[in-house]
Amino acid sequence: MQPSDVKALLESRIDDCQFHIQGEGCNFQVVAVSDVFEGLPPVKRQQLIYSALSDEIASGALHAISIKTYTPSQWEQAPENVGV
């Protein structure tokens, strides 16, 4: 899989969320930014992303996924946002 493939899958399954994907093969880093994360604890935020990719994880198409989630206001202050 390519980062663009992972991004397309997530965008088709989670509305109103901005994704930044890095990685290759079956190992990816996902940064997700959305108002949907407002008020959710970190575990619930990650579960939302994992559930959107559950079929690909189960099949082995995706193996290792690192997830960081932000609300838009948190994203403004996030170190990953520098230069994006």
Side-chain angles (χ1 to χ4, degrees):
M1 292 191 104
Q2 296 298 316
S4 59
D5 299 326
V6 176
K7 184 175 183 177
L9 286 170
L10 287 168
E11 288 176 342
S12 71
R13 297 173 182 171
I14 301 175
D15 293 331
D16 302 319
C17 195
Q18 178 183 12
F19 296 100
H20 304 278
I21 314 292
Q22 293 183 330
E24 61 185 0
C26 57
N27 301 308
F28 292 92
Q29 298 80 44
V30 174
V31 174
V33 182
S34 177
D35 286 324
V36 74
F37 300 127
E38 192 70 51
L40 291 178
V43 169
K44 292 290 186 189
R45 292 177 178 201
Q46 289 198 350
Q47 287 173 341
L48 181 67
I49 304 300
Y50 277 122
S51 67
L53 297 172
S54 62
D55 290 343
E56 289 73 23
I57 293 169
S59 74
L62 293 175
H63 175 67
I65 301 172
S66 166
I67 299 171
K68 293 186 179 180
T69 58
Y70 299 97
T71 64
S73 60
Q74 290 170 328
W75 178 241
E76 289 177 18
Q77 306 299 319
E80 293 90 351
N81 192 19
V82 176
V84 173

